[in-house]
Amino acid sequence: MSEPSLPELIARTRATLEKIAAAYSPAVFASSLAAEDMVLTDLILRHQLPIGIFTLETGRLHPETLAMIDRIKATYGYDVTPYQPQPEAVSQYVKSHGLNGFYDSVEARKECCHIRKIEPLNRALAGNRSWVTGQRRAQSVTRAALDVQENDPAHNMVKFNPLADWSEENVWQYLRDHEVPYNPLHDQGYPSIGCAPCTRAIEPGEDVRAGRWWWENPDSKECGLHVVDGKLIRIKSQSADAS
Ligand code: SF4
Protein backbone atom coordinates (compact mmCIF):
# COMPACT_ATOMS: atom_id res chain seq x y z
CA MET A 1 0.00 0.00 0.00
CA SER A 2 1.43 3.39 -0.93
CA GLU A 3 2.04 6.09 1.65
CA PRO A 4 -0.66 8.78 1.82
CA SER A 5 0.25 12.10 0.22
CA LEU A 6 0.63 15.21 2.35
CA PRO A 7 -2.68 16.71 1.12
CA GLU A 8 -4.38 13.43 2.10
CA LEU A 9 -2.78 13.51 5.53
CA ILE A 10 -3.78 17.14 6.04
CA ALA A 11 -7.39 16.43 5.02
CA ARG A 12 -7.50 13.41 7.30
CA THR A 13 -6.00 15.32 10.22
CA ARG A 14 -8.33 18.27 9.75
CA ALA A 15 -11.29 15.85 9.69
CA THR A 16 -10.06 14.28 12.93
CA LEU A 17 -9.77 17.69 14.60
CA GLU A 18 -13.24 18.67 13.38
CA LYS A 19 -14.63 15.40 14.75
CA ILE A 20 -12.97 16.07 18.11
CA ALA A 21 -14.42 19.60 18.23
CA ALA A 22 -17.89 18.39 17.24
CA ALA A 23 -18.21 15.15 19.18
CA TYR A 24 -15.56 15.11 21.94
CA SER A 25 -15.77 18.59 23.46
CA PRO A 26 -14.56 20.07 25.63
CA ALA A 27 -11.21 19.17 24.12
CA VAL A 28 -7.68 20.43 24.75
CA PHE A 29 -4.41 20.11 22.89
CA ALA A 30 -1.26 19.49 24.95
CA SER A 31 1.44 21.28 22.99
CA SER A 32 5.13 20.88 23.74
CA LEU A 33 5.72 23.73 21.25
CA ALA A 34 7.80 21.45 18.99
CA ALA A 35 7.48 21.05 15.20
CA GLU A 36 4.64 18.49 15.30
CA ASP A 37 2.75 20.61 17.77
CA MET A 38 3.05 23.61 15.49
CA VAL A 39 1.35 21.64 12.69
CA LEU A 40 -1.62 20.99 14.98
CA THR A 41 -1.54 24.55 16.35
CA ASP A 42 -1.72 25.88 12.80
CA LEU A 43 -4.58 23.57 11.82
CA ILE A 44 -6.58 24.34 14.96
CA LEU A 45 -6.11 28.11 14.80
CA ARG A 46 -6.25 28.46 11.00
CA HIS A 47 -9.64 26.73 11.00
CA GLN A 48 -10.76 28.33 14.29
CA LEU A 49 -11.58 25.01 15.88
CA PRO A 50 -12.79 25.16 19.51
CA ILE A 51 -9.90 23.15 20.95
CA GLY A 52 -7.97 24.88 23.74
CA ILE A 53 -4.16 24.82 23.55
CA PHE A 54 -1.99 24.52 26.65
CA THR A 55 1.65 23.75 27.37
CA LEU A 56 3.43 22.30 30.38
CA GLU A 57 5.72 25.10 31.49
CA THR A 58 8.00 22.92 33.60
CA GLY A 59 10.34 25.68 34.72
CA ARG A 60 13.23 23.93 32.92
CA LEU A 61 12.44 24.73 29.27
CA HIS A 62 14.91 26.33 26.86
CA PRO A 63 14.37 30.08 26.29
CA GLU A 64 13.77 29.26 22.60
CA THR A 65 10.90 26.96 23.57
CA LEU A 66 9.35 29.50 25.92
CA ALA A 67 9.61 32.13 23.18
CA MET A 68 7.28 30.01 21.04
CA ILE A 69 4.38 31.10 23.27
CA ASP A 70 4.98 34.72 22.21
CA ARG A 71 5.50 33.71 18.58
CA ILE A 72 2.14 31.92 18.54
CA LYS A 73 0.55 35.02 20.03
CA ALA A 74 2.21 37.23 17.38
CA THR A 75 1.25 34.93 14.49
CA TYR A 76 -2.26 33.86 15.46
CA GLY A 77 -3.28 36.26 18.23
CA TYR A 78 -3.76 33.24 20.48
CA ASP A 79 -2.68 32.85 24.11
CA VAL A 80 -1.39 29.35 24.83
CA THR A 81 -2.21 28.49 28.45
CA PRO A 82 0.90 27.58 30.48
CA TYR A 83 0.55 25.05 33.31
CA GLN A 84 3.29 25.22 35.93
CA PRO A 85 4.30 22.79 38.70
CA GLN A 86 3.29 23.36 42.30
CA PRO A 87 6.09 25.47 43.86
CA GLU A 88 6.04 23.52 47.14
CA ALA A 89 6.51 20.19 45.33
CA VAL A 90 9.46 21.60 43.35
CA SER A 91 11.07 22.96 46.54
CA GLN A 92 10.67 19.62 48.27
CA TYR A 93 12.22 17.77 45.31
CA VAL A 94 15.19 20.12 45.15
CA LYS A 95 15.71 19.77 48.90
CA SER A 96 15.64 15.94 48.68
CA HIS A 97 17.43 15.30 45.38
CA GLY A 98 19.10 18.56 44.32
CA LEU A 99 18.03 20.70 41.38
CA ASN A 100 19.34 18.17 38.84
CA GLY A 101 18.74 15.00 40.88
CA PHE A 102 17.02 13.43 37.87
CA TYR A 103 20.42 12.34 36.51
CA ASP A 104 20.95 10.02 39.49
CA SER A 105 18.30 7.37 38.76
CA VAL A 106 15.28 6.59 36.61
CA GLU A 107 13.14 6.86 39.75
CA ALA A 108 14.43 10.34 40.58
CA ARG A 109 13.89 11.37 36.98
CA LYS A 110 10.32 10.08 36.95
CA GLU A 111 9.64 11.85 40.24
CA CYS A 112 10.79 15.12 38.69
CA CYS A 113 8.65 14.46 35.59
CA HIS A 114 5.72 13.72 37.86
CA ILE A 115 6.06 17.03 39.67
CA ARG A 116 6.85 19.18 36.66
CA LYS A 117 4.72 17.43 33.99
CA ILE A 118 2.25 14.83 35.15
CA GLU A 119 0.59 16.70 38.01
CA PRO A 120 0.23 19.89 35.89
CA LEU A 121 -1.04 17.75 32.99
CA ASN A 122 -3.71 16.25 35.22
CA ARG A 123 -4.80 19.76 36.20
CA ALA A 124 -4.85 20.88 32.56
CA LEU A 125 -6.96 17.91 31.49
CA ALA A 126 -9.46 18.10 34.36
CA GLY A 127 -13.00 18.84 33.19
CA ASN A 128 -12.33 17.95 29.54
CA ARG A 129 -13.73 15.07 27.56
CA SER A 130 -10.79 14.52 25.22
CA TRP A 131 -7.23 15.58 24.67
CA VAL A 132 -4.92 15.83 21.69
CA THR A 133 -1.17 15.28 21.32
CA GLY A 134 1.33 15.75 18.49
CA GLN A 135 2.88 12.30 18.92
CA ARG A 136 3.89 10.31 15.86
CA ARG A 137 4.40 6.56 15.54
CA ALA A 138 7.83 6.98 13.96
CA GLN A 139 9.25 8.96 16.88
CA SER A 140 10.45 6.05 19.03
CA VAL A 141 10.05 2.43 20.01
CA THR A 142 7.71 3.52 22.80
CA ARG A 143 5.37 5.12 20.26
CA ALA A 144 5.35 2.38 17.61
CA ALA A 145 1.83 1.19 18.45
CA LEU A 146 0.28 4.64 18.62
CA ASP A 147 -3.25 4.98 17.25
CA VAL A 148 -5.00 8.14 16.08
CA GLN A 149 -7.72 7.54 18.69
CA GLU A 150 -7.14 5.80 21.99
CA ASN A 151 -8.90 5.34 25.29
CA ASP A 152 -7.09 6.98 28.17
CA PRO A 153 -8.38 5.21 31.27
CA ALA A 154 -5.88 6.99 33.53
CA HIS A 155 -7.70 10.25 32.83
CA ASN A 156 -11.04 8.71 31.91
CA MET A 157 -10.88 10.51 28.57
CA VAL A 158 -10.45 9.88 24.87
CA LYS A 159 -7.00 10.72 23.59
CA PHE A 160 -6.25 11.67 20.00
CA ASN A 161 -2.90 11.55 18.18
CA PRO A 162 -3.94 13.05 14.83
CA LEU A 163 -0.36 12.97 13.49
CA ALA A 164 0.23 9.29 14.28
CA ASP A 165 0.68 8.47 10.56
CA TRP A 166 2.81 11.49 9.68
CA SER A 167 6.50 11.18 8.84
CA GLU A 168 9.07 13.73 9.93
CA GLU A 169 9.27 14.91 6.30
CA ASN A 170 5.48 15.42 6.22
CA VAL A 171 5.75 17.64 9.29
CA TRP A 172 8.50 19.82 7.83
CA GLN A 173 6.84 20.05 4.42
CA TYR A 174 3.67 21.29 6.13
CA LEU A 175 5.56 23.89 8.18
CA ARG A 176 7.38 25.17 5.06
CA ASP A 177 4.28 25.23 2.85
CA HIS A 178 2.24 27.15 5.42
CA GLU A 179 5.08 29.34 6.74
CA VAL A 180 4.44 28.18 10.29
CA PRO A 181 6.87 29.44 12.98
CA TYR A 182 8.95 26.74 14.67
CA ASN A 183 11.42 26.36 17.49
CA PRO A 184 14.91 27.35 16.20
CA LEU A 185 16.45 24.52 18.26
CA HIS A 186 15.21 22.17 15.53
CA ASP A 187 17.85 23.76 13.25
CA GLN A 188 20.55 23.08 15.85
CA GLY A 189 20.26 19.28 15.99
CA TYR A 190 17.26 18.95 18.29
CA PRO A 191 14.51 16.95 16.50
CA SER A 192 12.81 16.30 19.86
CA ILE A 193 12.72 19.05 22.47
CA GLY A 194 11.90 18.75 26.14
CA CYS A 195 13.36 20.28 29.29
CA ALA A 196 16.79 21.85 28.72
CA PRO A 197 18.81 19.68 31.13
CA CYS A 198 17.22 16.50 29.76
CA THR A 199 17.56 17.19 26.03
CA ARG A 200 20.70 17.23 23.90
CA ALA A 201 21.35 17.69 20.21
CA ILE A 202 21.75 14.45 18.22
CA GLU A 203 24.22 13.36 15.54
CA PRO A 204 23.10 12.59 11.97
CA GLY A 205 21.70 9.04 11.83
CA GLU A 206 20.74 8.88 15.52
CA ASP A 207 17.15 8.08 16.50
CA VAL A 208 15.03 11.24 16.67
CA ARG A 209 14.42 10.73 20.41
CA ALA A 210 18.03 9.79 21.20
CA GLY A 211 18.59 13.25 22.67
CA ARG A 212 15.85 12.88 25.28
CA TRP A 213 17.03 11.44 28.65
CA TRP A 214 20.03 10.19 26.66
CA TRP A 215 21.66 8.64 29.72
CA GLU A 216 18.81 6.11 30.06
CA ASN A 217 17.82 2.90 28.26
CA PRO A 218 15.64 3.69 25.18
CA ASP A 219 12.82 1.51 26.52
CA SER A 220 12.39 3.70 29.61
CA LYS A 221 12.45 7.01 27.77
CA GLU A 222 9.08 8.51 28.43
CA CYS A 223 8.19 11.05 31.03
CA GLY A 224 5.99 8.70 33.00
CA LEU A 225 2.71 9.84 31.55
CA HIS A 226 2.57 6.42 29.90
CA VAL A 227 3.29 4.56 33.07
CA VAL A 228 0.52 2.52 34.64
CA ASP A 229 1.18 0.49 37.79
CA GLY A 230 4.85 1.30 37.46
CA LYS A 231 5.19 -0.19 33.97
CA LEU A 232 5.86 1.60 30.73
CA ILE A 233 2.87 0.94 28.52
CA ARG A 234 2.27 1.78 24.92
CA ILE A 235 -0.90 -0.01 23.97
CA LYS A 236 -4.20 1.22 22.65
CA SER A 237 -5.94 1.47 25.97
CA GLN A 238 -3.37 3.37 27.97
CA SER A 239 -2.49 6.96 28.59
CA ALA A 240 0.41 8.77 26.99
CA ASP A 241 2.48 11.85 27.50
CA ALA A 242 2.58 15.28 26.04
CA SER A 243 6.26 15.52 25.48
S1 SF4 B 1 12.33 16.22 31.53
FE1 SF4 B 1 13.96 16.42 33.11
S2 SF4 B 1 13.76 18.47 34.05
FE2 SF4 B 1 11.88 18.03 32.83
S3 SF4 B 1 10.46 17.24 34.30
FE3 SF4 B 1 11.46 15.44 33.43
S4 SF4 B 1 13.29 15.01 34.70
FE4 SF4 B 1 12.50 17.06 35.25
Side-chain angles (χ1 to χ4, degrees):
M1 203 167 65
S2 63
E3 296 295 318
S5 67
L6 183 57
E8 285 169 337
L9 285 171
I10 294 170
R12 210 188 280 174
T13 301
R14 183 177 171 186
T16 299
L17 292 170
E18 287 172 346
K19 178 178 85 171
I20 295 166
Y24 293 90
S25 283
V28 280
F29 166 39
S31 169
S32 62
L33 306 167
E36 287 80 3
D37 304 286
M38 291 310 300
V39 171
L40 289 175
T41 296
D42 187 77
L43 282 167
I44 289 168
L45 298 178
R46 180 183 293 271
H47 301 295
Q48 302 185 340
L49 297 172
I51 298 173
I53 305 175
F54 73 87
T55 195
L56 300 176
E57 208 286 76
T58 64
R60 304 302 304 266
L61 300 178
H62 296 88
E64 293 90 339
T65 305
L66 279 176
M68 292 305 297
I69 295 175
D70 289 339
R71 293 181 70 190
I72 291 169
K73 171 77 171 174
T75 305
Y76 304 98
Y78 184 87
D79 288 307
V80 172
T81 306
Y83 278 83
Q84 286 150 341
Q86 305 283 8
E88 321 77 58
V90 172
S91 300
Q92 192 56 48
Y93 181 91
V94 172
K95 203 185 283 180
S96 304
H97 301 283
L99 183 63
N100 294 335
F102 40 78
Y103 291 130
D104 296 340
S105 68
V106 172
E107 289 68 34
R109 197 268 290 168
K110 285 183 176 170
E111 188 180 337
C112 184
C113 284
H114 183 87
I115 291 167
R116 294 184 184 274
K117 293 181 173 179
I118 299 174
E119 187 280 327
L121 175 74
N122 291 341
R123 253 186 289 134
L125 297 183
N128 290 285
R129 187 166 172 213
S130 67
W131 65 299
V132 180
T133 83
Q135 291 179 334
R136 292 186 298 107
R137 230 170 262 140
Q139 280 170 324
S140 72
V141 291
T142 59
R143 297 182 177 181
L146 198 67
D147 274 344
V148 170
Q149 180 171 344
E150 304 177 322
N151 287 323
D152 175 3
H155 297 106
N156 196 24
M157 298 172 78
V158 183
K159 176 172 165 280
F160 289 92
N161 311 296
L163 302 184
D165 296 336
W166 288 48
S167 67
E168 188 179 356
E169 176 51 31
N170 293 147
V171 169
W172 286 101
Q173 191 64 50
Y174 182 97
L175 296 181
R176 283 193 294 271
D177 290 353
H178 296 83
E179 298 183 351
V180 177
Y182 64 87
N183 191 327
L185 290 175
H186 288 304
D187 291 333
Q188 297 167 36
Y190 291 80
S192 176
I193 303 169
C195 292
C198 297
T199 310
R200 65 159 172 78
I202 65 168
E203 300 296 330
E206 276 191 292
D207 183 88
V208 294
R209 296 219 6 128
R212 302 292 298 279
W213 304 299
W214 66 93
W215 63 93
E216 291 182 3
N217 181 305
D219 290 342
S220 58
K221 283 188 183 186
E222 293 291 353
C223 64
L225 303 176
H226 311 268
V227 173
V228 174
D229 295 333
K231 294 181 184 154
L232 182 77
I233 303 219
R234 169 53 66 201
I235 57 176
K236 292 179 191 173
S237 61
Q238 299 296 352
S239 175
D241 76 339
S243 66

